[in-house]
mmCIF file of all heavy atoms in Angstrom:
data_model
loop_
_atom_site.group_PDB
_atom_site.id
_atom_site.type_symbol
_atom_site.label_atom_id
_atom_site.label_comp_id
_atom_site.label_asym_id
_atom_site.label_seq_id
_atom_site.Cartn_x
_atom_site.Cartn_y
_atom_site.Cartn_z
ATOM 1 N N VAL A 226 179.012 76.390 -108.938
ATOM 2 C CA VAL A 226 177.603 76.261 -109.322
ATOM 3 C C VAL A 226 177.303 77.210 -110.474
ATOM 4 O O VAL A 226 177.656 78.386 -110.430
ATOM 5 C CB VAL A 226 176.686 76.586 -108.123
ATOM 6 C CG1 VAL A 226 175.228 76.493 -108.543
ATOM 7 C CG2 VAL A 226 176.963 75.626 -106.976
ATOM 8 N N ASP A 227 176.637 76.696 -111.498
ATOM 9 C CA ASP A 227 176.232 77.530 -112.625
ATOM 10 C C ASP A 227 174.837 78.109 -112.427
ATOM 11 O O ASP A 227 174.590 79.280 -112.695
ATOM 12 C CB ASP A 227 176.279 76.730 -113.928
ATOM 13 C CG ASP A 227 177.699 76.357 -114.319
ATOM 14 O OD1 ASP A 227 178.612 77.148 -114.021
ATOM 15 O OD2 ASP A 227 177.892 75.278 -114.900
ATOM 16 N N SER A 228 173.898 77.272 -111.968
ATOM 17 C CA SER A 228 172.526 77.736 -111.753
ATOM 18 C C SER A 228 171.798 76.752 -110.859
ATOM 19 O O SER A 228 172.333 75.688 -110.509
ATOM 20 C CB SER A 228 171.778 77.861 -113.091
ATOM 21 O OG SER A 228 171.495 76.576 -113.618
ATOM 22 N N GLU A 229 170.577 77.118 -110.492
ATOM 23 C CA GLU A 229 169.752 76.227 -109.683
ATOM 24 C C GLU A 229 169.436 74.934 -110.420
ATOM 25 O O GLU A 229 169.107 73.919 -109.796
ATOM 26 C CB GLU A 229 168.446 76.935 -109.295
ATOM 27 C CG GLU A 229 168.648 78.146 -108.404
ATOM 28 C CD GLU A 229 167.339 78.815 -108.031
ATOM 29 O OE1 GLU A 229 166.280 78.226 -108.332
ATOM 30 O OE2 GLU A 229 167.370 79.903 -107.427
ATOM 31 N N ASN A 230 169.536 74.943 -111.740
ATOM 32 C CA ASN A 230 169.222 73.759 -112.538
ATOM 33 C C ASN A 230 170.251 72.652 -112.370
ATOM 34 O O ASN A 230 170.060 71.545 -112.878
ATOM 35 C CB ASN A 230 169.104 74.131 -114.018
ATOM 36 C CG ASN A 230 167.948 75.085 -114.285
ATOM 37 O OD1 ASN A 230 166.914 75.013 -113.620
ATOM 38 N ND2 ASN A 230 168.118 75.985 -115.237
ATOM 39 N N ASP A 231 171.357 72.957 -111.672
ATOM 40 C CA ASP A 231 172.362 71.921 -111.415
ATOM 41 C C ASP A 231 171.859 70.881 -110.420
ATOM 42 O O ASP A 231 172.499 69.842 -110.238
ATOM 43 C CB ASP A 231 173.642 72.554 -110.851
ATOM 44 C CG ASP A 231 174.371 73.395 -111.882
ATOM 45 O OD1 ASP A 231 173.999 73.323 -113.071
ATOM 46 O OD2 ASP A 231 175.309 74.109 -111.505
ATOM 47 N N PHE A 232 170.719 71.149 -109.782
ATOM 48 C CA PHE A 232 170.245 70.296 -108.700
ATOM 49 C C PHE A 232 168.894 69.679 -109.047
ATOM 50 O O PHE A 232 168.067 70.302 -109.705
ATOM 51 C CB PHE A 232 170.142 71.094 -107.402
ATOM 52 C CG PHE A 232 171.402 71.826 -107.058
ATOM 53 C CD1 PHE A 232 171.592 73.141 -107.449
ATOM 54 C CD2 PHE A 232 172.423 71.195 -106.373
ATOM 55 C CE1 PHE A 232 172.757 73.817 -107.168
ATOM 56 C CE2 PHE A 232 173.599 71.860 -106.080
ATOM 57 C CZ PHE A 232 173.769 73.171 -106.469
ATOM 58 N N LYS A 233 168.676 68.450 -108.584
ATOM 59 C CA LYS A 233 167.435 67.737 -108.859
ATOM 60 C C LYS A 233 166.248 68.470 -108.257
ATOM 61 O O LYS A 233 165.222 68.663 -108.899
ATOM 62 C CB LYS A 233 167.525 66.319 -108.293
ATOM 63 C CG LYS A 233 166.328 65.447 -108.603
ATOM 64 C CD LYS A 233 166.391 64.119 -107.840
ATOM 65 C CE LYS A 233 167.634 63.350 -108.203
ATOM 66 N NZ LYS A 233 167.679 62.019 -107.521
ATOM 67 N N ASP A 234 166.355 68.859 -107.002
ATOM 68 C CA ASP A 234 165.298 69.607 -106.308
ATOM 69 C C ASP A 234 165.976 70.681 -105.470
ATOM 70 O O ASP A 234 166.305 70.459 -104.306
ATOM 71 C CB ASP A 234 164.462 68.665 -105.443
ATOM 72 C CG ASP A 234 163.285 69.370 -104.772
ATOM 73 O OD1 ASP A 234 163.131 70.600 -104.943
ATOM 74 O OD2 ASP A 234 162.505 68.691 -104.067
ATOM 75 N N PHE A 235 166.204 71.839 -106.088
ATOM 76 C CA PHE A 235 167.003 72.887 -105.455
ATOM 77 C C PHE A 235 166.413 73.333 -104.119
ATOM 78 O O PHE A 235 167.126 73.443 -103.116
ATOM 79 C CB PHE A 235 167.118 74.086 -106.399
ATOM 80 C CG PHE A 235 167.918 75.231 -105.833
ATOM 81 C CD1 PHE A 235 169.294 75.191 -105.827
ATOM 82 C CD2 PHE A 235 167.282 76.346 -105.311
ATOM 83 C CE1 PHE A 235 170.036 76.240 -105.302
ATOM 84 C CE2 PHE A 235 168.006 77.397 -104.781
ATOM 85 C CZ PHE A 235 169.394 77.344 -104.776
ATOM 86 N N ASN A 236 165.112 73.592 -104.065
ATOM 87 C CA ASN A 236 164.489 74.128 -102.856
ATOM 88 C C ASN A 236 164.650 73.202 -101.656
ATOM 89 O O ASN A 236 164.768 73.655 -100.514
ATOM 90 C CB ASN A 236 163.006 74.402 -103.093
ATOM 91 C CG ASN A 236 162.775 75.663 -103.904
ATOM 92 O OD1 ASN A 236 163.692 76.462 -104.095
ATOM 93 N ND2 ASN A 236 161.561 75.842 -104.393
ATOM 94 N N ASN A 237 164.650 71.896 -101.903
ATOM 95 C CA ASN A 237 164.722 70.924 -100.812
ATOM 96 C C ASN A 237 166.108 70.297 -100.687
ATOM 97 O O ASN A 237 166.241 69.158 -100.236
ATOM 98 C CB ASN A 237 163.666 69.837 -101.002
ATOM 99 C CG ASN A 237 162.262 70.376 -100.817
ATOM 100 O OD1 ASN A 237 162.022 71.269 -100.000
ATOM 101 N ND2 ASN A 237 161.318 69.856 -101.577
ATOM 102 N N THR A 238 167.126 71.056 -101.081
ATOM 103 C CA THR A 238 168.517 70.636 -100.891
ATOM 104 C C THR A 238 169.121 71.447 -99.751
ATOM 105 O O THR A 238 168.954 72.656 -99.691
ATOM 106 C CB THR A 238 169.339 70.850 -102.171
ATOM 107 O OG1 THR A 238 168.765 70.068 -103.234
ATOM 108 C CG2 THR A 238 170.775 70.413 -101.980
ATOM 109 N N LEU A 239 169.801 70.766 -98.823
ATOM 110 C CA LEU A 239 170.438 71.434 -97.683
ATOM 111 C C LEU A 239 171.893 71.714 -98.036
ATOM 112 O O LEU A 239 172.654 70.800 -98.366
ATOM 113 C CB LEU A 239 170.348 70.563 -96.434
ATOM 114 C CG LEU A 239 170.804 71.214 -95.118
ATOM 115 C CD1 LEU A 239 169.860 72.354 -94.722
ATOM 116 C CD2 LEU A 239 170.870 70.176 -93.994
ATOM 117 N N PHE A 240 172.293 73.001 -97.950
ATOM 118 C CA PHE A 240 173.615 73.432 -98.371
ATOM 119 C C PHE A 240 174.466 73.864 -97.178
ATOM 120 O O PHE A 240 173.956 74.407 -96.189
ATOM 121 C CB PHE A 240 173.510 74.616 -99.339
ATOM 122 C CG PHE A 240 172.889 74.280 -100.656
ATOM 123 C CD1 PHE A 240 171.530 74.498 -100.873
ATOM 124 C CD2 PHE A 240 173.646 73.745 -101.683
ATOM 125 C CE1 PHE A 240 170.939 74.203 -102.092
ATOM 126 C CE2 PHE A 240 173.074 73.446 -102.908
ATOM 127 C CZ PHE A 240 171.719 73.670 -103.117
ATOM 128 N N LEU A 241 175.778 73.672 -97.313
ATOM 129 C CA LEU A 241 176.763 74.194 -96.363
ATOM 130 C C LEU A 241 177.643 75.194 -97.105
ATOM 131 O O LEU A 241 178.266 74.857 -98.114
ATOM 132 C CB LEU A 241 177.632 73.066 -95.805
ATOM 133 C CG LEU A 241 178.861 73.518 -95.000
ATOM 134 C CD1 LEU A 241 178.433 74.171 -93.680
ATOM 135 C CD2 LEU A 241 179.805 72.340 -94.742
ATOM 136 N N PHE A 242 177.700 76.429 -96.602
ATOM 137 C CA PHE A 242 178.547 77.476 -97.182
ATOM 138 C C PHE A 242 179.740 77.715 -96.251
ATOM 139 O O PHE A 242 179.594 77.688 -95.018
ATOM 140 C CB PHE A 242 177.757 78.772 -97.342
ATOM 141 C CG PHE A 242 176.578 78.642 -98.279
ATOM 142 C CD1 PHE A 242 175.326 78.313 -97.794
ATOM 143 C CD2 PHE A 242 176.738 78.838 -99.640
ATOM 144 C CE1 PHE A 242 174.241 78.177 -98.648
ATOM 145 C CE2 PHE A 242 175.661 78.703 -100.506
ATOM 146 C CZ PHE A 242 174.412 78.372 -100.008
ATOM 147 N N TYR A 243 180.904 77.982 -96.841
ATOM 148 C CA TYR A 243 182.117 78.166 -96.052
ATOM 149 C C TYR A 243 183.125 78.993 -96.848
ATOM 150 O O TYR A 243 182.855 79.399 -97.979
ATOM 151 C CB TYR A 243 182.709 76.815 -95.646
ATOM 152 C CG TYR A 243 183.015 75.900 -96.806
ATOM 153 C CD1 TYR A 243 184.304 75.791 -97.308
ATOM 154 C CD2 TYR A 243 182.010 75.145 -97.408
ATOM 155 C CE1 TYR A 243 184.591 74.960 -98.380
ATOM 156 C CE2 TYR A 243 182.278 74.323 -98.481
ATOM 157 C CZ TYR A 243 183.570 74.224 -98.961
ATOM 158 O OH TYR A 243 183.838 73.407 -100.037
ATOM 159 N N ASN A 244 184.276 79.240 -96.238
ATOM 160 C CA ASN A 244 185.338 80.062 -96.851
ATOM 161 C C ASN A 244 184.884 81.495 -97.107
ATOM 162 O O ASN A 244 185.144 82.072 -98.171
ATOM 163 C CB ASN A 244 185.856 79.429 -98.151
ATOM 164 C CG ASN A 244 186.813 78.279 -97.892
ATOM 165 O OD1 ASN A 244 187.327 78.130 -96.783
ATOM 166 N ND2 ASN A 244 187.048 77.456 -98.909
ATOM 167 N N TYR A 245 184.206 82.080 -96.148
ATOM 168 C CA TYR A 245 183.907 83.515 -96.201
ATOM 169 C C TYR A 245 184.163 84.101 -94.819
ATOM 170 O O TYR A 245 184.116 83.397 -93.803
ATOM 171 C CB TYR A 245 182.471 83.768 -96.664
ATOM 172 C CG TYR A 245 181.384 83.377 -95.682
ATOM 173 C CD1 TYR A 245 180.780 84.328 -94.860
ATOM 174 C CD2 TYR A 245 180.961 82.050 -95.562
ATOM 175 C CE1 TYR A 245 179.778 83.980 -93.969
ATOM 176 C CE2 TYR A 245 179.964 81.691 -94.679
ATOM 177 C CZ TYR A 245 179.379 82.661 -93.888
ATOM 178 O OH TYR A 245 178.389 82.301 -92.985
ATOM 179 N N GLN A 246 184.466 85.385 -94.774
ATOM 180 C CA GLN A 246 184.886 86.036 -93.532
ATOM 181 C C GLN A 246 183.999 87.245 -93.226
ATOM 182 O O GLN A 246 184.188 88.314 -93.836
ATOM 183 C CB GLN A 246 186.357 86.481 -93.633
ATOM 184 C CG GLN A 246 187.371 85.348 -93.673
ATOM 185 C CD GLN A 246 187.478 84.661 -95.018
ATOM 186 O OE1 GLN A 246 187.379 85.308 -96.063
ATOM 187 N NE2 GLN A 246 187.660 83.350 -95.014
ATOM 188 N N PRO A 247 183.052 87.116 -92.327
ATOM 189 C CA PRO A 247 182.190 88.258 -91.975
ATOM 190 C C PRO A 247 182.984 89.441 -91.440
ATOM 191 O O PRO A 247 182.621 90.596 -91.687
ATOM 192 C CB PRO A 247 181.265 87.681 -90.896
ATOM 193 C CG PRO A 247 181.274 86.213 -91.117
ATOM 194 C CD PRO A 247 182.632 85.888 -91.616
ATOM 195 N N TYR A 248 184.080 89.162 -90.718
ATOM 196 C CA TYR A 248 184.892 90.243 -90.147
ATOM 197 C C TYR A 248 185.630 91.028 -91.225
ATOM 198 O O TYR A 248 186.178 92.093 -90.952
ATOM 199 C CB TYR A 248 185.883 89.687 -89.116
ATOM 200 C CG TYR A 248 186.527 88.388 -89.521
ATOM 201 C CD1 TYR A 248 187.636 88.362 -90.364
ATOM 202 C CD2 TYR A 248 186.017 87.179 -89.070
ATOM 203 C CE1 TYR A 248 188.220 87.169 -90.749
ATOM 204 C CE2 TYR A 248 186.596 85.977 -89.450
ATOM 205 C CZ TYR A 248 187.693 85.973 -90.286
ATOM 206 O OH TYR A 248 188.261 84.784 -90.667
ATOM 207 N N ASN A 249 185.631 90.510 -92.458
ATOM 208 C CA ASN A 249 186.160 91.268 -93.597
ATOM 209 C C ASN A 249 185.047 91.848 -94.454
ATOM 210 O O ASN A 249 185.275 92.247 -95.598
ATOM 211 C CB ASN A 249 187.057 90.373 -94.459
ATOM 212 C CG ASN A 249 188.377 90.058 -93.797
ATOM 213 O OD1 ASN A 249 188.833 90.801 -92.929
ATOM 214 N ND2 ASN A 249 188.990 88.947 -94.171
ATOM 215 N N GLY A 250 183.845 91.866 -93.916
ATOM 216 C CA GLY A 250 182.716 92.435 -94.641
ATOM 217 C C GLY A 250 182.060 91.492 -95.627
ATOM 218 O O GLY A 250 181.268 91.932 -96.465
ATOM 219 N N GLU A 251 182.367 90.193 -95.545
ATOM 220 C CA GLU A 251 181.820 89.232 -96.503
ATOM 221 C C GLU A 251 180.603 88.508 -95.934
ATOM 222 O O GLU A 251 180.469 88.334 -94.721
ATOM 223 C CB GLU A 251 182.886 88.198 -96.878
ATOM 224 C CG GLU A 251 184.078 88.788 -97.601
ATOM 225 C CD GLU A 251 185.142 87.750 -97.890
ATOM 226 O OE1 GLU A 251 185.037 86.625 -97.362
ATOM 227 O OE2 GLU A 251 186.091 88.080 -98.639
ATOM 228 N N THR A 252 179.737 88.075 -96.824
ATOM 229 C CA THR A 252 178.668 87.150 -96.479
ATOM 230 C C THR A 252 178.831 85.921 -97.360
ATOM 231 O O THR A 252 179.664 85.914 -98.273
ATOM 232 C CB THR A 252 177.280 87.785 -96.667
ATOM 233 O OG1 THR A 252 176.272 86.866 -96.207
ATOM 234 C CG2 THR A 252 177.020 88.116 -98.132
ATOM 235 N N TYR A 253 178.064 84.874 -97.114
ATOM 236 C CA TYR A 253 178.241 83.621 -97.851
ATOM 237 C C TYR A 253 177.769 83.767 -99.299
ATOM 238 O O TYR A 253 176.954 84.627 -99.631
ATOM 239 C CB TYR A 253 177.536 82.469 -97.142
ATOM 240 C CG TYR A 253 176.051 82.647 -96.933
ATOM 241 C CD1 TYR A 253 175.126 82.152 -97.846
ATOM 242 C CD2 TYR A 253 175.562 83.294 -95.797
ATOM 243 C CE1 TYR A 253 173.762 82.313 -97.652
ATOM 244 C CE2 TYR A 253 174.205 83.449 -95.587
ATOM 245 C CZ TYR A 253 173.309 82.958 -96.521
ATOM 246 O OH TYR A 253 171.959 83.124 -96.320
ATOM 247 N N CYS A 254 178.289 82.908 -100.164
ATOM 248 C CA CYS A 254 178.050 83.079 -101.604
ATOM 249 C C CYS A 254 176.590 82.880 -101.990
ATOM 250 O O CYS A 254 176.154 83.378 -103.024
ATOM 251 C CB CYS A 254 178.944 82.141 -102.419
ATOM 252 S SG CYS A 254 178.732 80.378 -102.084
ATOM 253 N N GLY A 255 175.813 82.191 -101.191
ATOM 254 C CA GLY A 255 174.383 82.059 -101.468
ATOM 255 C C GLY A 255 173.604 83.312 -101.139
ATOM 256 O O GLY A 255 172.413 83.424 -101.460
ATOM 257 N N ASP A 256 174.275 84.260 -100.493
ATOM 258 C CA ASP A 256 173.662 85.539 -100.144
ATOM 259 C C ASP A 256 174.307 86.670 -100.953
ATOM 260 O O ASP A 256 174.321 87.819 -100.529
ATOM 261 C CB ASP A 256 173.817 85.786 -98.641
ATOM 262 C CG ASP A 256 172.966 86.941 -98.134
ATOM 263 O OD1 ASP A 256 171.848 87.130 -98.657
ATOM 264 O OD2 ASP A 256 173.421 87.667 -97.228
ATOM 265 N N GLY A 257 174.878 86.302 -102.085
ATOM 266 C CA GLY A 257 175.521 87.301 -102.932
ATOM 267 C C GLY A 257 176.939 87.613 -102.547
ATOM 268 O O GLY A 257 177.524 88.586 -103.031
ATOM 269 N N GLY A 258 177.532 86.792 -101.661
ATOM 270 C CA GLY A 258 178.868 87.072 -101.166
ATOM 271 C C GLY A 258 179.941 86.195 -101.773
ATOM 272 O O GLY A 258 179.961 85.961 -102.973
ATOM 273 N N ALA A 259 180.819 85.678 -100.916
ATOM 274 C CA ALA A 259 181.999 84.946 -101.368
ATOM 275 C C ALA A 259 182.002 83.534 -100.785
ATOM 276 O O ALA A 259 181.129 83.155 -100.011
ATOM 277 C CB ALA A 259 183.263 85.701 -100.950
ATOM 278 N N GLY A 260 183.050 82.774 -101.179
ATOM 279 C CA GLY A 260 183.236 81.462 -100.585
ATOM 280 C C GLY A 260 182.766 80.310 -101.450
ATOM 281 O O GLY A 260 182.523 80.453 -102.648
ATOM 282 N N ASP A 261 182.616 79.156 -100.810
ATOM 283 C CA ASP A 261 182.280 77.915 -101.495
ATOM 284 C C ASP A 261 181.022 77.299 -100.893
ATOM 285 O O ASP A 261 180.543 77.724 -99.830
ATOM 286 C CB ASP A 261 183.440 76.921 -101.379
ATOM 287 C CG ASP A 261 184.717 77.471 -101.984
ATOM 288 O OD1 ASP A 261 184.697 77.824 -103.176
ATOM 289 O OD2 ASP A 261 185.727 77.566 -101.249
ATOM 290 N N VAL A 262 180.519 76.265 -101.579
ATOM 291 C CA VAL A 262 179.312 75.586 -101.123
ATOM 292 C C VAL A 262 179.441 74.094 -101.373
ATOM 293 O O VAL A 262 180.118 73.670 -102.318
ATOM 294 C CB VAL A 262 178.058 76.134 -101.852
ATOM 295 C CG1 VAL A 262 178.139 75.864 -103.347
ATOM 296 C CG2 VAL A 262 176.783 75.548 -101.266
ATOM 297 N N SER A 263 178.825 73.305 -100.507
ATOM 298 C CA SER A 263 178.719 71.863 -100.735
ATOM 299 C C SER A 263 177.330 71.417 -100.298
ATOM 300 O O SER A 263 176.653 72.096 -99.531
ATOM 301 C CB SER A 263 179.803 71.091 -99.965
ATOM 302 O OG SER A 263 179.652 71.280 -98.568
#
């Protein structure tokens, strides 16, 4: 993802974040962390 402008209606889009490990001190990439999104 480059920016919120990649989406038609960003606020009303439901996202799934994955490939992050909280037990390694990570949070999801939408929260400033790591991983991927779909």
Side-chain angles (χ1 to χ4, degrees):
V226 178
D227 293 327
S228 72
E229 296 180 9
N230 296 326
D231 291 349
F232 308 93
K233 184 188 300 183
D234 184 358
F235 180 79
N236 284 347
N237 292 326
T238 300
L239 188 67
F240 293 96
L241 169 68
F242 298 92
Y243 57 99
N244 282 344
Y245 70 99
Q246 291 78 37
Y248 41 83
N249 288 337
E251 296 177 350
T252 185
Y253 58 94
C254 59
D256 192 35
D261 301 303
V262 63
S263 62

